[in-house]
Amino acid sequence: MIDTVILSVPTTEAEILRRSTDGTPAWSLQGRKAAYDTYIKEPLAEDLESGLYFPKATAFRRKGTNGLWSASVRIEFSAPKLVYGNNIEELSEAQFDDAVAALGDRLRRLGLTISVDQLKTASVRAVHYSKNIEMQDGYSAMYAIAEISKINLNTRFDLSRTRYMNDGQSLCMY
């Protein structure tokens, strides 16, 4: 199942609305260098209170070797969270249009208007896959991670285990 997707859209293909005219959240400057600016856009408090999931939007302005500036918007989102509000339920290919429509809606609420066609053909920078596995017969995820981590992988593979503050764990095999 596809979970997290990162898209890149040139700003020439997006209408970026201004806060002063439409009440959408403003871009916040995150970093500035001589030839590179980074901005982020976060949802307003009332949007967060609605309980809807919002993608992370980051804008980049770069100065090229020719001295001209170019800009693009990176959009990072969890596809199942857009459609279902959680990442437990899995999406199917038949729900692609639903996910794109939900993404377009949330982006409009953030003040970014990108057509459905532009979203469908946007440059994909990264895709994170996942699979939800239902544990039965008294087995827990922690037990499964402990057992899988005992695998003797050869030198071509890497195994990393992470523990989180809320007693969560993850095991990644590369």
Side-chain angles (χ1 to χ4, degrees), residues 16 18 42 50 69 80 82 102 119 141 153 158 163 166 170:
I16 300 174
R18 307 286 180 230
E42 296 176 338
S50 71
W69 288 86
L82 279 174
L119 289 173
L153 296 176
D158 183 27
R163 293 181 184 268
N166 63 354
S170 72

Side-chain angles (χ1 to χ4, degrees), residues 4-145:
T4 304
V5 179
I6 300 174
L7 303 177
S8 181
V9 178
T11 55
T12 56
E13 298 175 1
E15 180 185 351
I16 300 174
L17 305 174
R18 307 286 180 230
R19 182 183 197 140
S20 59
T21 60
D22 62 15
T24 61
W27 289 98
S28 301
L29 180 66
Q30 284 298 106
R32 176 169 278 163
K33 302 216 180 204
Y36 194 84
D37 295 340
T38 305
Y39 300 87
I40 63 166
K41 192 173 263 250
E42 296 176 338
L44 297 172
E46 57 263 22
D47 287 331
L48 291 175
E49 290 171 3
S50 71
L52 293 174
Y53 168 79
F54 284 86
K56 179 180 177 184
T58 308
F60 300 97
R61 241 176 38 116
R62 297 175 183 92
K63 189 173 188 179
T65 55
N66 58 3
L68 299 175
W69 288 86
S70 66
S72 65
V73 178
R74 184 180 76 190
I75 303 162
E76 183 174 345
F77 63 95
S78 170
K81 283 184 184 177
L82 279 174
V83 175
Y84 294 119
N86 66 61
N87 59 357
I88 303 298
E89 297 176 67
E90 297 183 0
L91 292 177
S92 66
E93 281 188 52
Q95 294 169 299
F96 177 74
D97 289 334
D98 296 338
V100 172
L103 177 61
D105 172 64
R106 301 303 158 30
L107 290 173
R108 274 188 293 284
R109 290 174 184 244
L110 286 176
L112 292 168
T113 302
I114 303 173
S115 73
V116 169
D117 291 333
Q118 293 294 349
L119 289 173
K120 286 182 177 181
T121 60
S123 179
V124 177
R125 297 295 178 199
V127 177
H128 300 167
Y129 296 95
S130 69
K131 180 63 181 159
N132 296 317
I133 301 168
E134 186 177 345
M135 306 299 282
Q136 297 177 356
D137 299 330
Y139 289 104
S140 68
M142 292 175 75
Y143 174 78
I145 289 172

